[in-house]
Amino acid sequence: MLDKSFDPKEAEARIYKMWEDSGAFKPRAAKPTDTKDDNYSIVIPPPNVTGSLHMGHALNNTIMDILIRFNRMKGKAVLWQPGMDHAGIATQMVVERKLAAEGKFRKNMSREDFLNHVWDWKAESGGMIEKQLRRLGSSCDWSRSKFTLGAAPHADKAEVKNQKNMADAVTKAFVEMYEAGLIYRDKRLVNWDPHFQTAISDLEVENIEKNGHFWHFKYPLAGGETYTYVEKDENGNVTLSEERDYISIATTRPETMLGDGAVAVHPDDERYAPIVGKMVRLPLADRLIPIITDEYPDMDFGSGAVKITGAHDFNDYEVAKRNDIPMYSLMGTRGEMIESEIMPAKYVGMDRFAARKAVVADIDAEGLLIRVEDKKIMQPYGDRSGVVIEPMLTDQWFVDAEKMAEDAMAKVNDGSTKFVPENWKKTYDHWMENIQPWCVSRQLWWGHQIPAWYGPAVDPETKEIDWENPRAKYFVADNEANMLGEAALYYSAAENDLTFDVVEDDCDFSLVAQERRFDNMVPLQRDADVLDTWFSSGLWPFSTLGWPDSTEELARFYPTSVLVTAFDIIFFWVARMMMQGLHFMKDENGEGVVPFDDVYIHALVLDEAGKKMSKSIGNTLDPLDLIDGVSADTLVEKRTRGLKNPDKAPQIAKATRKAYPDGFEPYGADALRFTLASQAGQGRNIRLSVDRIAGYRNFGTKLWSAASFGQMNGCTPVAGFDPSSATLPVNKWIISETAKTAMEISRCIDTYRFNDAADAAYKFTWDTFCAWYLELSKPLLSGEDGTDKDETRATFAWVLDQILKLLHPFMPFITEDLWAKIGKGRDTHLITAQWPTYGEELIDVDAVAELEWLQTLITNIRSVRADMNIPPSKKAPLLLCGDTLDPRLETYAPQLSPMARVEHVELAAAVPENALQTVVDGVQYAIPLAGLIDMDAERKRLAKEIEKAQSEIEKIDRKLGNEAFVAKAPEKVVTLQKERRAGYAAEVETLQAALDGLG
RNA sequence: GGGCGAUUAGCUCAGUGGGAGAGCACUACAUUCACACUGUAGGGGUCACUGGUUCAAUCCCAGUAUCGCCCA
């Protein structure tokens, strides 16, 4: 006997362990007959090691697990490669915070000590998310789990042993790309985080709209020159004309004016034409800067004149480069104003925001402040630090992404990699076409240290070493020995007899250099910076498979079958994997091989109001709360804990209690997965509805209870049962429907239509199997023993088995549990059972037609009875009004009795008094119910049905009456309309006869 | 300002150049032996708006409005 319902709390952990212990998550052994199509692989988008499971992960991993389980059951060798991302800045922050709480600070530690702390933290608290992914049922091969920082210096011994290639991969990639001219060192404008004091990627910058100001300043013309400033309206009439000795500029960031290199106006701007090429006196700094023309200024915005601060603004940077305008760096790594030839002494050392106030005040004091405007401005914030990001001119390592993008775009254009849905290709192309140099260095400690060493340069003329600039020359090599080899070669050009000294990366190199020169010892120091995390995640599809070693996995599973990810990292991750994959993975002809055949882009999971889930809005849903259940109190507590803005707590608490007054019941992983799958349409986002999760939990219970019914009726799986051997139409019909559904689900999963696949499985299970087949089979199962009963039992069990298989990718736990419980002694687990491969050959059109007729008959009888408020307890005969009794009525009398409350069936020449009437396939049926029928109501009901059919006929007649329609529409469409009309006409005729019969 | 996308039942969403769909919610009835996490039946939509293409538009095209996301 089965329990009353499935208990996810008890079963999920037990079943998951069974799967893992059974080795089912590992790829099956290779067979000599395997072709590329027999191998199926997915690399997980590596979650951050600091991360915890959120809805996006739940959706992402549900989709991957559906694909993985489906293909595994199809008999392919399947690898789902898991792992984690070391998330440079996020992890460093987490550990720094933890240390700060203990009164320890990174600044006071050596790099080595700090890294030891981070590895300790990772061993203890990192990677919680892998445990959480298991709760979802994710069938990854955990034994192969990789870490983007695996085997980096100071790593745990275990890490080093299993992941040596992960560090090798990064070093090799960097060195090779450098040697190929794809990596270079340059001074460019980057996003600088003054809190963490590192360059960060665009991804880590969040643009937020803030209330700000727009300051309008006068920049006086040099030498007291004046000009006539004329403004005109759109008709060319002069609206303002005055003599000016200044140009008006506006800025949202006054402090940067100290570093202005020019004022730019649009070349078409007549207002400033007289003064283009002249100089203005930059206030406070007392420098002269030119007025130049450039396409960048918008004539209609502000005064139309723009100050150009090349070193502190991305647009200005481009203008400055185009026009050869000098760029002056104003700030240090903490965003403080620094001493320089152009910096007035009074601002040196001021924080950038203090400097802003001072600059405004000082300009005002000079009488050059025109006005201050309130304005909404977009400001860039570091998503981790929360401070305003500063564009800064710094020396960094860059990847020449433009070169690599060409290949990456070509491979999508030629279909080597396909985006699903395909409209995402546009986003990808757009970004690739406008790609910028990729800054790959970060001023952090947690990450892969850049394999580059600095030393002084040798002057090619004098053969002398320039000891004053000890970092002028650099060497890139995969290890220190090779670097020294290169260095020896380079310095052999110098006259002196030299030796080398590789010094610590955290000591003061200039100081050391000055000491060493007296010993003719060349100091070499490794670059202290680390690589952008995305540099290592770009290698993910092949580094996880063992690259740079040539492993069996690489040969079998690269390229991977599909990448499943959300659209927000198409740029940052997908594009980079494409570029790096094509560069490093070559086929026998030296052609780059794409990292994945398909890229499936799924939606973002939003809350029920369509808002992005965010901690600060307090609308997050924790997938584990939906799986395990949570009280309203705990939910409120979780949503209000640790808010950046604690004032919002009462509001969040109120909204949460209103939305979920009772918290969540434990719905189980299957219900959550099924909900996500059924909402994973190929649209843009998913509003997660908790009601739907409850609905799909109920679906699981429905399945469970049907299985329980089968078990009570002796429907045990029969080994070797051949579905094509069934003889009873009802069994042939359900087998036909099973085959149709199996084909439909396979087709949908293959084309990434998860919602359609889930819907097909849901409808078949609930409507076709539980609502119809189960009821129709009851008389057979409770009838006398014999071949019909045996066949029905075997068919029932077979269909249920098929349902378990078809639902397994979506609801792995409950299906696996039922598989074991209803089929005791099976030699397979469901996870590795064979996916249905049958199809058309099991479809019996006659049986399908017969059962469809029966269902229509039953539905019609139920409907007329319900319409006339006949109590279900009241049984009545079913009369066929005609000459011959349909033998099918006798056949299905046992089903008609309970399902349609039919007492018995008989032939009637005429419709008796006081009978309900219905029409099926043009045949008139009567249900005599003397005393129970309100004849007026029955007349109205029939009239309404006639009216409905009539209006359909009218619509069709309008079409058929249109000559152009008949002439131009395809014959098939015209025939269909004629058939439809005939059907409705027959119905009207019979219903009219019935109505007339009532008098 | 530029780009992408959405607008279909009360809610959340599918869908198709030719008969408007699902789940949830709602209404009525039902305690009939798989299931009340149930069953049966039912109500409910000018498919955002305006034009155009077409024999035919919810679907294709253009524009408008509203909303969302990304970029500046």
Side-chain angles (χ1 to χ4, degrees):
Chain A
M1 268 291 284
L2 285 174
D3 294 333
K4 189 154 170 54
S5 65
F6 178 66
D7 177 6
K9 274 204 158 78
E10 175 278 325
E12 287 177 359
R14 167 173 56 81
I15 292 168
Y16 196 89
K17 182 168 189 309
M18 179 278 286
W19 285 330
E20 200 167 3
D21 291 349
S22 77
F25 296 170
K26 293 181 193 296
R28 66 154 169 76
K31 296 178 192 168
T33 54
D34 280 349
T35 66
K36 178 169 176 347
D37 281 347
D38 295 308
N39 297 326
Y40 189 89
S41 57
I42 297 179
V43 289
I44 202 169
N48 288 354
V49 63
T50 55
S52 65
L53 192 74
H54 60 59
M55 275 299 165
H57 296 125
L59 173 66
N60 182 244
N61 285 279
T62 294
I63 290 172
M64 285 188 282
D65 200 41
I66 289 169
L67 290 167
I68 288 289
R69 286 178 187 269
F70 170 68
N71 281 289
R72 185 187 288 126
M73 289 173 79
K74 279 170 73 168
K76 295 187 184 181
V78 168
L79 173 63
W80 184 2
Q81 172 64 51
M84 285 185 295
D85 191 292
H86 66 275
I89 203 164
T91 310
Q92 183 157 326
M93 181 181 78
V94 165
V95 176
E96 281 194 70
R97 263 194 203 159
K98 183 175 166 282
L99 290 172
E102 298 163 15
K104 298 181 199 157
F105 297 92
R106 179 169 70 95
K107 293 271 152 55
N108 308 332
M109 282 178 200
S110 70
R111 183 170 184 141
E112 186 172 358
D113 283 347
F114 179 74
L115 288 177
N116 284 332
H117 278 294
V118 187
W119 282 105
D120 286 349
W121 169 86
K122 180 186 178 281
E124 273 172 46
S125 347
M128 172 177 65
I129 194 162
E130 286 201 341
K131 290 194 189 73
Q132 295 176 319
L133 286 172
R134 291 163 196 247
R135 292 296 320 279
L136 277 176
S138 307
S139 56
C140 309
D141 183 357
W142 298 110
S143 69
R144 294 187 49 82
S145 184
K146 297 282 183 171
F147 186 43
T148 51
L149 195 55
H154 313 289
D156 294 350
K157 285 220 174 75
E159 295 272 356
V160 174
K161 191 172 152 224
N162 294 326
Q163 318 227 15
K164 182 173 176 310
N165 75 290
M166 297 302 284
D168 293 347
V170 172
T171 308
K172 184 181 166 78
F174 187 91
V175 173
E176 281 197 15
M177 285 169 74
Y178 173 75
E179 284 168 357
L182 290 167
I183 287 184
Y184 56 94
R185 192 155 169 84
D186 197 7
K187 190 188 269 293
R188 292 181 58 92
L189 209 53
V190 297
N191 292 304
W192 185 266
D193 186 318
H195 176 77
F196 289 113
Q197 299 178 48
T198 175
I200 61 174
S201 76
D202 296 346
L203 181 68
E204 290 154 329
V205 177
E206 213 180 343
N207 290 298
I208 304 176
E209 193 174 72
K210 291 276 174 185
N211 292 321
H213 303 285
F214 210 34
W215 283 272
H216 296 254
F217 295 157
K218 289 180 183 177
Y219 282 9
L221 289 177
E225 283 201 50
T226 61
Y227 66 110
T228 311
Y229 176 85
V230 179
E231 265 183 19
K232 293 178 181 169
D233 66 13
E234 51 204 24
N235 302 321
N237 303 317
V238 173
T239 55
L240 175 71
S241 175
E242 63 181 18
E243 280 298 296
R244 283 189 176 175
D245 61 355
Y246 66 90
I247 188 166
S248 164
I249 61 97
T251 178
T252 56
R253 304 185 53 210
E255 70 283 10
T256 63
M257 61 83 56
L258 295 167
D260 284 358
V263 172
V265 298
H266 196 277
D268 298 341
D269 199 331
E270 293 174 15
R271 293 172 296 179
Y272 301 113
I275 51 169
V276 166
K278 307 219 158 164
M279 305 298 273
V280 294
R281 181 180 63 82
L282 187 64
L284 312 185
D286 242 2
R287 281 189 286 124
L288 294 184
I289 58 173
I291 297 170
I292 60 162
T293 56
D294 192 274
E295 299 287 332
Y296 165 64
D298 177 352
M299 288 191 275
D300 301 322
F301 190 73
S303 67
V306 180
K307 64 193 256 322
I308 301 299
T309 320
H312 287 279
D313 181 281
F314 284 97
N315 290 312
D316 292 5
Y317 177 71
E318 296 299 326
V319 177
K321 269 206 315 193
R322 273 200 293 274
N323 297 284
D324 211 15
I325 301 297
M327 307 188 206
Y328 304 106
S329 285
L330 301 171
M331 296 172 206
T333 58
R334 286 176 289 108
E336 81 286 11
M337 308 306 276
I338 49 168
E339 193 177 343
S340 78
E341 49 183 6
I342 53 100
M343 179 67 67
K346 76 166 284 196
Y347 305 110
V348 172
M350 274 189 197
D351 176 74
R352 52 189 168 149
F353 297 111
R356 173 175 301 178
K357 279 188 186 151
V359 163
V360 171
D362 294 345
I363 286 189
D364 195 14
E366 289 195 14
L368 298 174
L369 177 62
I370 301 169
R371 66 194 164 100
V372 185
E373 209 181 320
D374 288 335
K375 193 167 180 288
K376 293 258 181 218
I377 54 170
M378 289 300 273
Q379 254 190 321
Y381 285 84
D383 67 348
R384 298 289 171 185
S385 64
V387 304
V388 176
I389 294 305
E390 192 66 44
M392 294 261 259
L393 209 50
T394 57
D395 285 306
Q396 302 284 350
W397 292 94
F398 291 91
V399 169
D400 183 353
E402 207 174 332
K403 255 188 208 167
M404 304 182 84
E406 283 171 26
D407 255 5
M409 258 193 294
K411 288 294 181 184
V412 174
N413 282 330
D414 73 12
S416 303
T417 292
K418 286 179 287 296
F419 277 88
V420 183
E422 58 188 349
N423 57 333
W424 286 112
K425 179 178 177 294
K426 275 192 212 163
T427 305
Y428 173 86
D429 285 345
H430 182 256
W431 191 72
M432 285 292 196
E433 281 160 12
N434 297 291
I435 199 160
Q436 297 294 313
W438 169 19
C439 174
V440 290
S441 41
R442 296 288 181 271
Q443 289 64 50
L444 300 172
W445 282 353
W446 179 242
H448 288 283
Q449 194 169 354
I450 292 171
W453 286 259
Y454 298 97
V458 178
D459 188 307
E461 302 283 321
T462 63
K463 314 276 184 207
E464 299 236 335
I465 288 177
D466 176 9
W467 296 100
E468 299 303 321
N469 294 299
R471 291 169 68 90
K473 172 69 189 168
Y474 51 82
F475 304 94
V476 170
D478 55 4
N479 60 45
E480 200 173 296
N482 289 343
M483 180 276 293
L484 284 171
E486 279 184 38
L489 195 64
Y490 174 78
Y491 289 106
S492 67
E495 285 173 336
N496 323 43
D497 268 344
L498 298 165
T499 54
F500 300 105
D501 181 22
V502 180
V503 304
E504 291 296 315
D505 56 37
D506 49 1
C507 68
D508 185 332
F509 192 49
S510 304
L511 213 64
V512 175
Q514 291 312 316
E515 291 168 9
R516 294 294 186 272
R517 65 183 297 181
F518 301 109
D519 305 326
N520 273 335
M521 197 181 247
V522 175
L524 294 160
Q525 186 181 39
R526 183 159 182 185
D527 193 322
D529 292 351
V530 300
L531 284 163
D532 178 13
T533 313
W534 297 102
F535 188 87
S536 41
S537 21
L539 310 171
W540 191 244
F542 42 102
S543 64
T544 52
L545 299 177
W547 191 84
D549 303 332
S550 54
T551 59
E552 186 199 329
E553 284 79 11
L554 206 53
R556 283 175 86 193
F557 296 114
Y558 188 96
T560 62
S561 308
V562 59
L563 179 81
V564 179
T565 187
F567 66 82
D568 51 351
I569 53 174
I570 289 178
F571 308 148
F572 299 102
W573 193 45
V574 179
R576 274 150 199 180
M577 285 189 288
M578 284 294 285
M579 293 194 287
Q580 287 176 305
L582 286 168
H583 186 259
F584 289 108
M585 302 303 288
K586 303 286 187 194
D587 65 14
E588 56 277 10
N589 306 319
E591 267 286 300
V593 183
V594 294
F596 13 75
D597 299 333
D598 294 340
V599 177
Y600 176 73
I601 302 289
H602 59 71
L604 294 184
V605 185
L606 309 177
D607 75 357
E608 281 174 74
K611 287 231 163 62
K612 228 174 175 171
M613 289 192 187
S614 116
K615 179 81 185 129
S616 61
I617 303 177
N619 62 345
T620 53
L621 289 175
D622 181 343
L624 294 179
D625 285 346
L626 292 162
I627 292 174
D628 293 331
V630 70
S631 70
D633 290 343
T634 308
L635 190 60
V636 167
E637 199 272 323
K638 281 177 74 167
R639 282 183 166 188
T640 51
R641 185 199 311 153
L643 286 175
K644 264 189 203 156
N645 181 359
D647 296 348
K648 282 195 173 167
Q651 189 190 330
I652 290 170
K654 199 177 155 195
T656 301
R657 285 193 195 279
K658 190 172 173 225
Y660 309 113
D662 305 314
F664 305 136
E665 292 175 51
Y667 299 117
D670 290 330
L672 176 64
R673 290 169 60 115
F674 203 88
T675 307
L676 291 169
S678 76
Q679 298 212 270
Q682 298 187 345
R684 218 164 232 241
N685 45 39
I686 291 178
R687 296 192 193 189
L688 190 76
S689 152
V690 177
D691 283 341
R692 278 187 77 144
I693 302 176
Y696 292 123
R697 184 271 319 264
N698 296 355
F699 173 63
T701 307
K702 186 78 180 174
L703 173 67
W704 185 271
S705 126
S708 170
F709 169 84
Q711 200 181 45
M712 284 187 283
N713 285 279
C715 304
T716 22
V718 174
F721 172 76
D722 175 8
S724 62
S725 70
T727 60
L728 295 175
V730 67
N731 290 333
K732 286 179 166 179
W733 160 76
I734 193 66
I735 288 163
S736 303
E737 294 300 322
T738 308
K740 288 187 204 168
T741 305
M743 285 188 288
E744 168 81 354
I745 293 174
S746 301
R747 193 178 59 78
C748 290
I749 300 179
D750 274 331
T751 52
Y752 305 104
R753 306 190 60 90
F754 303 103
N755 57 325
D756 290 335
D759 284 353
Y762 183 94
K763 280 201 182 80
F764 177 72
T765 305
W766 199 309
D767 298 339
T768 311
F769 183 67
C770 292
W772 283 107
Y773 180 72
L774 192 144
E775 295 299 335
L776 292 167
S777 70
K778 275 179 184 171
L780 294 157
L781 293 172
S782 60
E784 282 175 32
D785 287 351
T787 53
D788 285 357
K789 186 167 176 173
D790 289 344
E791 178 187 300
T792 304
R793 281 174 158 172
T795 303
F796 188 108
W798 180 82
V799 174
L800 186 57
D801 270 0
Q802 306 314 303
I803 289 175
L804 296 181
K805 288 180 179 182
L806 295 171
L807 277 174
H808 182 75
F810 302 89
M811 306 186 114
F813 293 108
I814 189 171
T815 51
E816 185 75 70
D817 205 28
L818 283 173
W819 180 261
K821 285 182 167 146
I822 64 179
K824 295 243 181 327
R826 282 195 224 253
D827 56 4
T828 55
H829 297 308
L830 184 54
I831 189 173
T832 47
Q834 199 203 10
W835 185 260
T837 52
Y838 43 78
E840 302 286 348
E841 73 281 5
L842 286 185
I843 297 175
D844 184 320
V845 288
D846 294 334
V848 168
E850 180 164 321
L851 269 293
E852 278 173 3
W853 162 83
L854 179 62
Q855 288 172 45
T856 310
L857 178 63
I858 291 171
T859 304
N860 281 14
I861 296 169
R862 283 170 169 172
S863 181
V864 295
R865 288 178 56 114
D867 274 354
M868 288 298 110
N869 290 316
I870 309 302
S873 54
K874 174 69 187 171
K875 283 200 161 190
L878 177 68
L879 311 182
L880 188 160
C881 311
D883 305 329
T884 46
L885 187 62
D886 189 334
R888 294 178 298 185
L889 291 175
E890 295 285 5
T891 309
Y892 294 107
Q895 280 82 14
L896 286 167
S897 167
M899 295 179 76
R901 320 305 299 153
V902 170
E903 205 168 44
H904 65 272
V905 290
E906 62 182 84
L907 194 64
V911 179
E913 298 270 318
N914 290 315
L916 295 175
Q917 299 180 60
T918 188
V919 178
V920 177
D921 288 355
V923 176
Q924 191 178 359
Y925 295 89
I927 304 156
L929 282 157
L932 287 173
I933 306 174
D934 174 342
M935 295 311 288
D936 268 348
E938 173 67 354
R939 263 188 285 273
K940 271 187 202 151
R941 188 184 69 78
L942 286 169
K944 199 175 147 199
E945 277 193 49
I946 291 169
E947 200 188 324
K948 225 163 129 186
Q950 282 289 15
S951 83
E952 287 299 321
I953 290 173
E954 278 167 32
K955 268 201 261 178
I956 297 166
D957 278 349
R958 262 197 303 263
K959 249 181 210 178
L960 290 169
N962 182 345
E963 277 175 38
F965 172 71
V966 181
K968 293 194 180 177
E971 203 182 317
K972 228 172 77 186
V973 173
V974 178
T975 314
L976 176 75
Q977 294 304 323
K978 286 183 176 163
E979 280 169 7
R980 287 187 60 221
R981 193 194 185 286
Y984 284 117
E987 198 182 316
V988 167
E989 199 179 321
T990 321
L991 286 166
Q992 191 61 50
L995 183 58
D996 293 346
L998 294 178

